[in-house]
Amino acid sequence: MTFVRKPVSFIATDDPQAASAFYCHVLGLDIVESSAFALVFLDGDHTLRVQIVPELVPAPHTAYGWQVPDIAQALRVLAANGVKASLFDRLKQDELGVWTSPDGHKIAWFTDPSGNVLSLTEHKT
């Protein structure tokens, strides 16, 4: 037996004002709800719920990401909005911060104001 469902992603923030500004104005997501408990954004037809917590220790891994057709162009847009790509000692990344996986996919990471790791991926065609 199955049931109808639609995925919702969850991340957290301890600074709702900064998170709201970042997800709305930097990433261009539409906010559909704001309460003392969460900020809810529409990301296309996907829901991203940013839970408001009193303290946050961000996970050291990717919490949320997007597939993009042109990672260099996406990173230039983010950079124009003050977002810097994250660099990792263990990965060989290019001047934009892009790592090319062994199978040819291009991936870059950056963080939101709460330190959540976000990613962009351009799949090899």
Side-chain angles (χ1 to χ4, degrees), residues 15-83:
D15 187 348
Q17 284 186 309
S20 181
F22 180 79
Y23 286 95
C24 286
H25 303 298
V26 175
L27 298 181
L29 303 185
D30 293 324
I31 191 162
V32 294
E33 181 184 330
S34 177
S35 73
F37 305 104
L39 305 169
V40 181
F41 300 92
L42 260 185
D43 189 2
D45 63 353
H46 186 81
T47 300
L48 172 62
R49 186 173 177 88
V50 181
Q51 303 165 97
I52 299 170
V53 297
E55 292 182 39
L56 177 66
V57 176
H61 53 77
T62 304
Y64 192 76
W66 298 267
Q67 181 178 332
V68 295
D70 184 340
I71 199 166
Q73 188 265 343
L75 287 168
R76 284 192 292 275
V77 169
L78 288 171
N81 285 296
V83 176

